[in-house]
Amino acid sequence: MRRTTTTAVAAVILVPLVVAAGGSPALAADSGDVTVSNTETVQARLSATGSFQGARVYEQLALTGHGTATIANPVSTEGLRNLDGFGGYKVVDGKLVSTLSVDGERRERSLSDYDKDLPLTVEVTYTFDGETVQPGAVVGKAGTLGVHYKVTNVTGKTQDVTYDDGTGTMATASAETVIPMIGQLVTVLPSTFTDVQSDEAGMAGDGRGGTRMQFQMTLFPPIGSATAEFGYTAEVSHAVIPKATLTSMPVSPLEYPSFKGGAASYQAGAQKGVDLTAGATKIDESVLQLHDGAAQLLAGLLQLRDGAATLSDGLNDSAAPGAAQLAAGLNDKAAPGAEKLAAGLNDKLAPGAQQLAAGLTKDAAPGAAALALGASQLDTGLADAVKKAPALITGLTDVDAGLTTVEAGLTTMYGGLTDMSNSAPALTTGIATLKARIGSITTTGTLLGTLEQLRVGAATAAAGSTQLSLNATGLGTSLDASVTELDKLKASVDPDPAAQLAYATELATLSAKIDKLAEISAGNATLADNLGVVAGGLAQVECGVSGARAGCPKDSSGNVVPGVLEGVGSIEAGVGLLLGGINQVRAGMGDADDTKADLTARGGIHSLQAGVKELRAGGGALGSGLGQLSAGATRLNAGAGSLSTGLTTAATGSAALAAGLQDAAAGSTTLSDGIETAAEGSDELADGIEAAADGSTQLSEGLVTASEGAPKLVDGTQQLSDEGTSQVVVSGQGTAEDFGVKYAVLSAGAERAQTEGMAYGAPEGATGATAYSIEIAGVDGTGASSVGRLILAIVLFAGGIGLATLARRRFV
């Protein structure tokens, strides 16, 4: 009887935990105020291999308050019977309907056959000396016995769950969910079982020389698994198969104390993934803006490079050679010829007409012809130079416009980089604050420090609970032995029947208290196991926060699997590299007042703009001077022709020539002065154009170098996005999806526990809970003996009836 009582208590001990979690709302009463809670306890019997043999369900209604309430409680109607009396029930549509009066507290209990499928299946397999056997085949033998249990939560179904994919969008995934179940399996091995081994069980003595084994099960993912497998081996003599008791109940992983911390960790992990994705996305967008600015800079440099090349070609191939030819013609031919002409007219021709006649015939006429030819060549060269001067000025204008565009692009890009640099310290500060709050397992007040304190505290409490269980078990063993000795002394007590009855009653009371002490010991052992599970779970949470903790898992290469803290450190290093690159780019771009000496991009642009302005100013003067020279050359060409004609005519009449030579002398002086001025201007023009040609060549080469380097900036920012910031975005989305789906599965399981957790359901407006107590039969070979004893009893009973009949006849 003692073992049966203990099993019954274990079957229902889980129910108050669920009821307390749900509270007790008031049920609508016919009169007064009545609160109702409903508990269902399913007791099932399985064979030694786990085959279903039968089940029944105990229904209990607990009513508190004052008044009258009509209750419709869903029940199994198969074999329904009243446990509180001999009265019948009113059943309507599968619900037990009763009107109850309550004044304080009231209990109503019923029993019926369980007509549904169990939420759990159990498979038990046995080996003996390494060979698979049926349970009855080992009875009475000696050897190595192995027992393996497989418990499966069969409430699974596929349903859609929603989660934040890291970008603020709610995504849907198909996932397998179950009604979350927890449980424990307890079996007691007799003293004939030695060298008991198990990797999963909590083991302790039962106070009678046997071994009590307890297996804990968390039968729902992702915290546990829908299937739990465990077992033990032992050296046996006179072998039997001990029975086992499996107790289980549905729980909400979001509210049950042992699991709500783990569920909160999955929720926090999903949020961290969302936050990481948002931050990395913002950084990646900034990098892409930098990439776009670099692309605009490259386009401007390419346009400027092409314009500078055109300018350099024009100055070096046309303008500079033409100016050199013009200077040579003026200095080497036109200026000396004009000077000689003036000297001849003033010093020789005027004083002697005779000499002039002879000179005109022999020298002047041929000289005038040569002068006409030179003037014609000069006029042609100047006309060509005048035509090319506007193209030079137009090219300089285009170059100046291109430089202005580049300057504007650099200014815009510099502002964008400055904004990025100013926002980076806030991000760096936030990352540092997050790392400080995560801390380490040795830092008090941080996340890791607090987790470590909780883990150490749970482990210490588990050890204390185990010791308390052992002490209670030892005390129970001593008291049980004392009861046995007292029972032997019963005969020496007063033989009076009343005294004997009182003595037996006291012994029964003491035995009941010993049973209660055994229950306390079992509860402490369960508490110790649960605390051990909590300590292990906290260690896993610590590894998730920081993989550098001792004992955390490593990858196939032996490296630390990074946690949240290591991921934050990687982001911090990436932000530092990005900020350093931005500062280098800003320094290379320069400020609005930089010059060529500052060796920056904007300083070089400013220097080029100044040079172009000077070239444009010189180009204007050049155009004006060329126009004047062209006009003078045209007149010179016409005058030289006339001179040649006149000299031919003058050769026939020196008298008329004398008067005309006065005018010619004055004109030749003016011509000499003009040509001398043109010669000096042509030298300056040639020097200016040569300097401009050199400058345009340097400008073209510098822009070629700049345009070759600019693609590296474009490619570098794109590479930073492709291989750096965008990968952080992908990682954040992966974290958000992983933790988000797992937390969604836990939430769906919690909802199923709320709506599907009871076997039949509670009355409307009442709280309810269901617990399962599953007895797995043992095998000890007593079946045949029991049948034999039954047959012997029938024979003796029949014999007794015969003797009584015979005696009655004799006395009659």
Side-chain angles (χ1 to χ4, degrees):
M1 284 297 294
R2 183 176 300 161
R3 292 183 180 178
T4 303
T5 301
T6 303
T7 302
V9 172
V12 299
I13 196 170
L14 297 175
V15 176
L17 295 177
V18 184
V19 173
S24 298
L27 188 72
D30 296 341
S31 64
D33 186 15
V34 179
T35 299
V36 181
S37 64
N38 173 220
T39 57
E40 301 174 339
T41 303
V42 178
Q43 287 188 336
R45 293 176 290 104
L46 307 182
S47 70
T49 59
S51 299
F52 180 78
Q53 294 182 328
R56 55 188 180 178
V57 54
Y58 292 86
E59 292 274 354
Q60 175 173 290
L61 293 175
L63 301 92
T64 59
H66 301 277
T68 302
T70 298
I71 301 171
N73 183 29
V75 297
S76 168
T77 60
E78 296 291 332
L80 180 63
R81 48 199 180 276
N82 190 345
L83 293 180
D84 295 318
F86 298 100
Y89 285 122
K90 177 183 177 182
V91 178
V92 179
D93 295 331
K95 296 181 180 180
L96 192 156
V97 180
S98 56
T99 301
L100 304 173
S101 297
V102 183
D103 186 12
E105 295 183 353
R106 180 170 179 172
R107 300 286 186 272
E108 293 291 324
R109 299 179 301 154
S110 65
L111 175 66
S112 57
D113 296 334
Y114 183 74
D115 57 1
K116 295 188 175 185
D117 294 330
L118 293 173
L120 305 178
T121 61
V122 181
E123 299 178 34
V124 191
T125 56
Y126 303 89
T127 60
F128 194 78
D129 290 336
E131 299 292 333
T132 302
V133 296
Q134 291 299 314
V138 304
V139 174
K141 295 183 179 180
T144 302
L145 173 65
V147 181
H148 180 78
Y149 298 93
K150 181 179 179 180
V151 181
T152 303
N153 184 340
V154 293
T155 64
K157 69 177 183 180
T158 300
Q159 67 181 92
D160 290 338
V161 297
T162 58
Y163 63 96
D164 191 328
D165 67 357
T167 64
T169 301
M170 298 305 295
T172 301
S174 181
E176 183 79 7
T177 66
V178 298
I179 298 174
M181 304 281 290
I182 62 171
Q184 65 178 13
L185 185 145
V186 177
T187 184
V188 179
L189 311 184
S191 58
T192 55
F193 283 51
T194 61
D195 191 20
V196 179
Q197 302 288 332
S198 175
D199 293 332
E200 305 89 7
M203 295 188 291
D206 70 340
R208 297 175 177 81
T211 302
R212 183 179 187 277
M213 307 190 74
Q214 179 173 293
F215 302 89
Q216 300 293 336
M217 291 165 283
T218 302
L219 296 170
F220 60 92
I223 295 177
S225 172
T227 300
E229 297 192 47
F230 48 85
Y232 65 88
T233 61
E235 298 297 322
V236 299
S237 61
H238 305 291
V240 296
I241 299 298
K243 69 177 183 178
T245 301
L246 189 158
T247 55
S248 180
M249 69 176 183
V251 297
S252 170
L254 304 184
E255 299 175 358
Y256 194 72
S258 297
F259 305 116
K260 66 180 181 180
S265 297
Y266 282 110
Q267 184 181 27
Q271 186 58 46
K272 292 297 183 184
V274 171
D275 294 342
L276 174 61
T277 302
T281 299
K282 185 175 182 180
I283 294 174
D284 190 51
E285 290 173 351
S286 298
V287 171
L288 291 177
Q289 289 178 356
L290 178 62
H291 170 269
D292 294 341
Q296 292 177 357
L297 172 63
L298 175 60
L301 287 174
L302 292 175
Q303 181 181 0
L304 186 59
R305 180 201 63 186
D306 295 341
T310 301
L311 172 63
S312 177
D313 292 342
L315 289 174
N316 284 281
D317 297 340
S318 299
Q325 291 176 1
L326 174 62
L330 290 173
N331 285 280
D332 296 341
K333 295 181 178 180
E339 185 179 356
K340 290 179 181 179
L341 174 62
L345 288 173
N346 286 281
D347 297 338
K348 296 180 180 181
L349 292 180
Q354 295 297 325
Q355 293 179 358
L356 174 61
L360 286 174
T361 302
K362 296 180 179 180
D363 298 324
L371 174 61
L373 179 61
S376 178
Q377 293 177 349
L378 174 62
D379 183 52
T380 300
L382 288 173
D384 185 60
V386 168
K387 291 179 182 180
K388 293 182 178 179
L392 171 63
I393 296 174
T394 300
L396 291 173
T397 302
D398 293 340
V399 170
D400 187 60
L403 289 173
T404 301
T405 301
V406 172
E407 169 69 8
L410 289 174
T411 301
T412 301
M413 183 176 178
Y414 188 89
L417 291 175
T418 301
D419 292 341
M420 290 180 61
S421 178
N422 292 337
S423 62
L427 178 60
T428 303
T429 301
I431 292 174
T433 301
L434 178 59
K435 290 177 65 180
R437 290 181 179 175
I438 293 175
S440 66
I441 61 175
T442 59
T443 306
T444 304
T446 63
L447 175 59
L448 282 175
T450 302
L451 288 174
E452 179 66 7
Q453 290 176 353
L454 291 174
R455 184 189 67 79
V456 173
T460 303
S465 295
T466 299
Q467 186 60 46
L468 182 58
S469 175
L470 294 174
N471 292 342
T473 300
L475 178 59
T477 301
S478 300
L479 291 175
D480 194 63
S482 299
V483 169
T484 301
E485 293 300 322
L486 290 173
D487 188 66
K488 293 178 180 179
L489 296 175
K490 182 170 62 176
S492 63
V493 180
D494 189 346
D496 179 65
Q500 287 285 322
L501 179 59
Y503 190 86
T505 300
E506 290 297 327
L507 287 179
T509 301
L510 181 58
S511 178
K513 291 181 178 180
I514 293 172
D515 289 342
K516 189 63 177 179
L517 188 61
E519 294 175 15
I520 293 173
S521 174
N524 276 316
T526 301
L527 176 60
D529 293 336
N530 288 338
L531 287 171
V533 172
V534 170
L538 288 171
Q540 293 178 0
V541 172
E542 287 184 23
C543 291
V545 175
S546 175
R549 177 186 174 278
C552 288
K554 299 182 182 299
D555 59 20
S556 57
S557 301
N559 298 318
V560 171
V561 177
V564 173
L565 182 59
E566 286 75 23
V568 171
S570 299
I571 293 176
E572 183 179 33
V575 170
L577 292 175
L578 175 62
L579 183 58
I582 289 174
N583 290 334
Q584 289 180 357
V585 172
R586 290 175 59 200
M589 292 173 62
D591 297 322
D593 57 352
D594 280 0
T595 64
K596 180 178 180 181
D598 294 313
L599 298 180
T600 63
R602 296 182 72 182
I605 294 298
H606 297 158
S607 178
L608 290 174
Q609 288 177 322
V612 168
K613 289 180 180 179
E614 292 179 1
L615 287 175
R616 291 178 64 190
L622 171 64
S624 176
L626 288 175
Q628 295 177 3
L629 286 175
S630 178
T634 300
R635 291 195 299 271
L636 174 62
N637 184 34
S642 298
L643 175 63
S644 178
T645 301
L647 288 175
T648 302
T649 302
T652 61
S654 59
L657 178 60
L661 283 179
Q662 296 295 326
D663 297 331
S668 65
T669 301
T670 302
L671 174 62
S672 178
D673 293 339
I675 291 177
E676 184 178 356
T677 300
E680 292 175 354
S682 67
D683 289 334
E684 294 178 357
L685 173 63
D687 293 340
I689 292 178
E690 184 178 359
D694 293 339
S696 66
T697 300
Q698 293 176 0
L699 172 62
S700 178
E701 292 173 351
L703 290 173
V704 169
T705 302
S707 62
E708 291 174 351
K712 297 179 181 178
L713 177 60
V714 178
D715 296 340
T717 53
Q718 186 64 52
Q719 183 179 7
L720 176 60
S721 175
D722 295 341
E723 301 179 7
T725 54
S726 63
Q727 296 304 311
V728 177
V729 173
V730 173
S731 176
Q733 288 179 317
T735 300
E737 179 178 359
D738 183 36
F739 282 91
V741 170
K742 290 178 179 177
Y743 182 72
V745 168
L746 288 174
S747 298
E751 183 176 354
R752 291 193 64 189
Q754 178 69 25
T755 58
E756 306 174 42
M758 294 191 67
Y760 294 94
E764 183 178 357
T767 60
T770 301
Y772 296 86
S773 176
I774 302 174
E775 294 288 338
I776 304 171
V779 180
D780 57 7
T782 60
S785 299
S786 298
V787 173
R789 286 194 295 270
L790 177 62
I791 295 173
L792 178 60
I794 293 173
V795 171
L796 291 175
F797 181 71
I801 293 174
L803 290 174
T805 302
L806 179 61
R808 188 184 309 116
R809 289 176 179 176
R810 289 182 62 186
F811 286 107
V812 170

